Amino acid sequence: MDASTAAVIARCESISEVSVGFRMYRMRVIEVFKGRPKLADSVIEVASIKELPRDATFWIVGYGEAPTEWDSPEQVSTKALSYLRGLSRLPERGPRRLGYFLRFLQHGDELVAADAYNEFAEATLEDIAAVADQLDREWVISQLRDASVPVHRRRLCWTFLSQCGTAADASLFDEMLRKREVDATFDPGMDAAIACFIALAGERGLGRVEQAYLASSDAEYLDSFAAINAIRVHGTQLKVLPRERLAAALRLMLCRPTLADLVIPDLARWGDWSMIDRVAKLFEEANEEARFVKPAAVLYLKTCPLPAAAEALERLRAIDAQTVQAAEASMRFYNGPTTVPVPPPSDDDASSGLQAP
């Protein structure tokens, strides 16, 4: 609506087929949310390849003036009108805004429910934490147990549970794993699920994640990747466990050369310079399957302020000068210690909340 020049509610009056599969809909505007007031009660024509029901009510946005280019109509229920009317009265950001959308996540109109979800998908973790007291824990749990819920919404519910759940709710993680064993098509949303599990179970939960997904060479790649992302969220945006403890968990991945490049940038970002020798050895022993560890190792050593890192880098340069030079050149185009696009921690490292992307 912000990007449009007009936004209206209209009712379909007639339909004409211009060509096979292409229809022109004559719409009567019944309410103007944005745009020229004279649009009210006017007739607009909107093209669509979808077959729209007669006499239904639609939400339509338009762009430009004289003439306005109308976007594809979205059917809305009468109940959705109050939701749409409330949008113009909201602040641009903050917990009061999210509190409004929270009420509509369970709405029967999919257009409304999806729009409300999208607001949370773009919200900051701080804002989500600020509405924790408004979350319906029982509803959140029911959504996680409902296999028909899309995985992107299940991830949001894991985020919610991390804010409103109890330590006992950590058992829901195992319940979802059992469901995945029975139904291979079921996706628990592992990254958000693991992040929530650690938030609720604390040190015990992190220990289980380490054993199952980080230290074990038998762990599925996608599960290990999800675990790394979950720990990354904790290390950059949460304050459940000390970052030093989280870094120790990621260091376990350095024993798995083909996946070590996934965590080396995080160790650099968090200033964990205890792995200089191990990182250098990964470079020296890298085979074709573990080739991505080489540039990650160079960036780690190049960023490390300790003399031992500079000495190790020179040893690697003597072994493979071309790779070292290429990695150093890449730093001219990215000013930072990592190639993983996640935000750095805040100064006080005190943000709370979870969000899986």
Side-chain angles (χ1 to χ4, degrees):
M1 189 160 60
D2 286 344
S4 69
T5 54
V8 302
I9 294 291
R11 183 171 289 115
C12 180
E13 289 191 341
S14 64
I15 307 171
S16 59
E17 188 168 12
V18 178
S19 61
V20 177
F22 182 75
R23 297 173 177 83
M24 187 67 70
Y25 293 85
R26 183 180 173 87
M27 301 276 189
R28 175 75 62 177
V29 176
I30 59 177
E31 187 168 352
V32 178
F33 285 81
K34 182 179 181 180
R36 293 167 289 139
K38 67 179 182 179
L39 281 171
D41 201 40
S42 66
V43 174
I44 61 176
E45 291 190 335
V46 183
S48 177
I49 59 174
K50 295 189 296 183
E51 185 174 356
L52 305 177
R54 293 178 180 270
D55 301 321
T57 303
F58 299 90
W59 166 259
I60 316 173
V61 295
Y63 303 90
E65 302 280 357
T68 299
E69 295 288 338
W70 295 101
D71 206 351
S72 181
E74 293 284 350
Q75 185 178 356
V76 293
S77 64
T78 303
K79 294 180 179 179
L81 295 180
S82 61
Y83 168 80
L84 295 170
R85 293 185 183 112
L87 296 178
S88 61
R89 299 190 295 269
L90 295 177
E92 291 187 7
R93 59 183 62 85
R96 189 168 76 82
R97 180 181 179 88
L98 278 193
Y100 178 82
F101 290 101
L102 187 62
R103 293 182 285 139
F104 293 97
L105 287 174
Q106 305 177 51
H107 200 278
D109 189 311
E110 179 55 25
L111 174 68
V112 173
D115 194 64
Y117 165 80
N118 288 339
E119 191 70 24
F120 279 92
E122 297 182 2
T124 67
L125 302 182
E126 183 179 2
D127 285 344
I128 292 177
V131 298
D133 60 342
Q134 302 177 47
L135 296 172
D136 183 343
R137 173 178 164 274
E138 294 299 328
W139 175 78
V140 169
I141 292 175
S142 71
Q143 291 292 287
L144 288 170
R145 286 176 168 156
D146 185 349
S148 67
V149 172
V151 66
H152 62 281
R153 296 194 189 184
R154 185 173 294 114
R155 285 191 173 98
L156 177 61
C157 286
W158 283 119
T159 300
F160 286 163
L161 188 64
S162 72
Q163 299 297 324
C164 68
T166 66
D169 292 330
S171 64
L172 198 63
F173 177 67
D174 288 314
E175 183 180 326
M176 296 300 103
L177 292 183
R178 290 192 294 270
K179 182 174 290 192
R180 185 176 68 167
E181 290 176 358
V182 174
D183 181 4
T185 65
F186 177 73
D187 186 349
M190 281 294 283
D191 47 0
I194 293 172
C196 178
F197 179 64
I198 295 173
L200 297 180
E203 174 65 34
R204 176 181 64 85
L206 180 59
R208 272 197 52 192
V209 170
E210 287 177 316
Q211 182 179 7
Y213 306 122
L214 301 181
S216 174
S217 59
D218 295 329
E220 294 288 338
Y221 168 78
L222 291 178
D223 287 345
S224 295
F225 187 73
I228 292 168
N229 280 335
I231 292 171
R232 182 178 294 141
V233 168
H234 275 271
T236 57
Q237 303 180 40
L238 293 175
K239 197 175 182 181
V240 176
L241 293 171
R243 182 178 287 177
E244 293 76 12
R245 177 66 184 89
L246 298 168
L250 292 186
R251 288 199 296 267
L252 294 172
M253 296 299 296
L254 299 185
C255 294
R256 301 171 64 183
T258 58
L259 300 180
D261 62 287
L262 298 177
V263 303
I264 290 174
D266 295 285
L267 299 177
R269 183 186 303 107
W270 296 348
D272 183 343
W273 308 121
S274 63
M275 292 289 108
I276 293 174
D277 292 340
R278 177 58 186 160
V279 167
K281 188 173 182 180
L282 284 168
F283 182 105
E284 294 169 1
E285 298 179 349
N287 56 23
E288 179 62 21
E289 189 178 2
R291 64 187 181 281
F292 294 114
V293 79
K294 283 191 167 186
V298 172
L299 294 176
Y300 177 91
L301 297 173
K302 189 78 173 177
T303 306
C304 179
L306 301 179
E311 295 170 3
L313 186 61
E314 290 309 308
R315 292 199 306 273
L316 300 186
R317 196 185 305 277
I319 296 172
D320 187 349
Q322 184 176 1
T323 296
V324 172
Q325 184 177 6
E328 290 176 326
S330 73
M331 297 183 74
R332 292 181 299 179
F333 302 100
Y334 183 84
N335 184 25
T338 172
T339 58
V340 179
V342 296
S346 58
D347 292 339
D348 59 4
D349 195 31
S351 298
S352 60
L354 290 171
Q355 181 70 1

